[in-house]
Amino acid sequence: MNTIPTLLITGGATGIGAATVRKFVDEGWNVALIDINISEAEALCRSLDAPERLMCVEADTRSLQAMQRAVAMTLSRFGRLDCVFANAGIHRRNTIYDITDAELDLLIAVNIRGTINTVRASIDALAVDGGGAIIINCSDQWFIGKRGNFGYGLTKGALGQITRSLALELGPKGIRVNAVCPSTIATPLVDNIFSTYADTHPDTTVAEQWADEDALFVRGKAGRPDEVADMVYYLAGARFCTGGHYLIDGGLTAQ
């Protein structure tokens, strides 16, 4: 019987996901990395030089069947599942005035339905041998609102509530459910947001947007992916923590 604990992570190829993969591999875990960008996922796995403890699966969290297949492959390879990090998500800038139906549908499909599918596909495997942990990548927008983030904030607010409901529903199976709630983290996703905005607003640059963002935080700098990964790893083993929302926001919501 395999005694090495196993993490399944969605959206694990870049940013917070990639940092989390590195953290768990460094701590001796097996990791099943799920992503729609399989080339980047495989490149990350090769860079870590731990082929016996890593596997990459191409899957879209919007498909329950794809996630069920990913979980089955994880069990076939590693023989167990101890923690799931529902990390896959997208961001779009919009307001109630300009969000399109297509954009709203996409945010809901990826951020909400994708998380639900990940959980649904994993419950039975996690419940074996007394349970495990689910960690949901929520946002500081569970706590606060931000202008220009209508659709994204809507979905992250939903994930905050889903965390509470799941903690109660899955507790009897021994499954703990918590959410990490990062503020702005220096990732390719945020770079892309700023770049897209700069393309249509010639009065600003990506560098200027980062400077404005960094100034929001007590230490004068936004977060790093590894700082979120540290919290994910903590929650994977925090046996008396469930139903919680853990801020990683550099003091933003304290101001």
Side-chain angles (χ1 to χ4, degrees):
M1 178 181 177
N2 187 5
T3 60
I4 299 174
T6 298
L7 168 74
L8 182 148
I9 176 172
T10 62
T14 60
I16 291 170
T20 303
V21 171
R22 293 188 187 98
K23 175 68 176 179
F24 277 75
V25 169
D26 287 348
E27 296 292 342
W29 284 54
N30 296 321
V31 177
L33 192 170
I34 317 301
D35 208 290
I36 58 173
N37 190 335
I38 194 64
S39 61
E40 285 199 61
E42 290 175 340
L44 173 62
C45 288
R46 286 193 299 270
S47 74
L48 295 176
D49 194 27
E52 73 285 356
R53 291 193 287 113
L54 278 163
M55 68 177 292
C56 296
V57 180
E58 183 176 9
D60 188 331
T61 61
R62 290 175 291 181
S63 166
L64 176 59
Q65 291 72 28
M67 290 309 303
Q68 289 170 331
R69 173 177 168 271
V71 170
M73 292 174 68
T74 300
L75 294 176
S76 177
R77 171 71 181 275
F78 298 124
R80 60 188 291 168
L81 182 59
D82 301 271
C83 180
V84 171
F85 183 26
N87 171 64
I90 60 171
H91 186 288
R92 297 290 186 273
R93 273 186 169 175
N94 47 55
T95 69
I96 187 64
Y97 300 106
D98 59 25
I99 190 170
T100 65
D101 288 347
E103 197 166 62
L104 179 58
D105 289 345
L106 180 62
L107 283 161
I108 291 172
V110 176
N111 294 355
I112 299 178
R113 188 179 303 122
T115 297
I116 293 170
N117 287 340
T118 301
V119 172
R120 279 177 169 168
S122 306
I123 290 172
D124 289 345
L126 284 170
V128 174
D129 295 329
I134 294 171
I135 301 156
I136 292 172
N137 194 349
C138 193
S139 168
D140 59 351
Q141 292 189 54
W142 162 249
F143 293 90
I144 60 173
K146 290 183 177 179
R147 291 181 175 86
N149 283 260
F150 175 75
Y152 180 78
L154 178 158
T155 60
K156 292 299 183 174
L159 293 184
Q161 183 57 46
I162 286 169
T163 299
R164 285 179 169 164
S165 298
L166 288 175
L168 299 178
E169 291 183 0
L170 301 183
K173 294 180 177 290
I175 299 173
R176 297 173 289 104
V177 186
N178 292 288
V180 289
C181 299
S183 191
T184 304
I185 306 297
T187 64
L189 182 148
V190 180
D191 278 328
N192 184 61
I193 293 168
F194 289 167
S195 178
T196 300
Y197 188 79
D199 286 344
T200 56
H201 294 77
D203 58 331
T204 189
T205 66
V206 172
E208 288 170 341
Q209 290 177 79
W210 267 119
D212 290 342
E213 198 71 21
D214 285 339
L216 298 174
F217 302 101
V218 172
R219 71 180 182 192
K221 203 75 176 171
R224 302 191 311 267
D226 62 288
E227 292 168 328
V228 182
D230 287 343
M231 180 60 79
V232 175
Y233 182 73
Y234 169 76
L235 291 172
R239 297 182 181 179
F240 198 51
C241 294
T242 194
H245 303 80
Y246 293 84
L247 277 166
I248 309 143
D249 75 337
L252 177 68
T253 60
Q255 301 179 63

